Amino acid sequence: IAYAQTAGPYLASIAVMPTIASAAAAEPLPPWPQLPISHDELLRNFTHTSGDAACGRGWTSATCLLAHTDHHHRVHNLLGLAVAGWRPARALGAQGFALTFVGGGVAAALNSAGREVQVRNWLDNGTRGWASYVTPRMAKLWNENGAWRLCGASAGVFALLGVDLCLSLEQ
């Protein structure tokens, strides 16, 4: 019951947030209630871009943990959070759990070098490796000049997995 009280608010918040695809009517809504948030509002306030802080929307580095691209993305993060978080929650308490989960997500949103690696991988997958072959700086240019929107709880889940691994190794 203690873990449900710790992780439950995060799990529920992610579950009731419409996915970007469902808000754009590109996928059906799930069978449970969703918040009535428009696609534009979801993109503006629940995804993160590198220019958000300069525009006065710095909170998006934290709120982007709640929005997901599609139902597969959301379900994988919900399952990951439910499975990966119980041991860190028990060891760190509710505040340590929150700091790890939200802090991991915010750190990832603000990590432009990591975003560049993800962009390079995305470009390489789409061009069969030609993007990196043609110019190693292509991902950096794409990252700096593209309007990338980050969303999802993956980084927060991985932060909890890291704590879980450390606790396992400590035992």
Side-chain angles (χ1 to χ4, degrees):
I1 246 182
Y3 181 58
Q5 291 173 333
T6 299
Y10 301 100
L11 292 164
S13 297
I14 292 169
V16 300
M17 183 68 62
T19 64
I20 293 170
S22 66
E27 74 179 12
L29 289 170
W32 58 85
Q34 297 285 280
L35 295 172
I37 299 175
S38 71
H39 184 256
D40 290 338
E41 196 69 25
L42 190 64
L43 292 178
R44 187 173 31 260
N45 293 307
F46 295 95
T47 63
H48 178 76
T49 64
S50 58
D52 281 348
C55 296
R57 289 192 312 270
W59 69 83
T60 62
S61 61
T63 59
C64 70
L65 282 124
L66 302 175
H68 290 81
T69 55
D70 56 29
H71 70 279
H72 294 293
H73 185 207
R74 176 175 47 199
V75 166
H76 289 136
N77 277 297
L78 285 170
L79 289 172
L81 180 57
V83 172
W86 69 269
R87 194 178 347 207
R90 189 176 63 203
L92 303 174
Q95 290 177 335
F97 177 90
L99 183 62
T100 303
F101 178 66
V102 176
V106 169
L110 299 177
N111 179 4
S112 60
R115 194 166 43 252
E116 186 178 322
V117 169
Q118 289 180 340
V119 170
R120 185 173 55 245
N121 289 339
W122 179 78
L123 285 171
D124 281 345
N125 286 339
T127 63
R128 297 182 190 230
W130 279 96
S132 290
Y133 179 76
V134 173
T135 173
R137 295 184 178 190
M138 187 176 223
K140 184 174 174 127
L141 291 170
W142 190 282
N143 189 44
E144 291 172 354
N145 297 313
W148 289 100
R149 296 193 173 278
L150 301 176
C151 64
S154 301
V157 170
F158 278 106
L160 290 169
L161 281 169
V163 170
D164 187 47
L165 176 64
C166 291
L167 291 169
S168 295
L169 293 173
E170 190 177 73
Q171 284 181 344

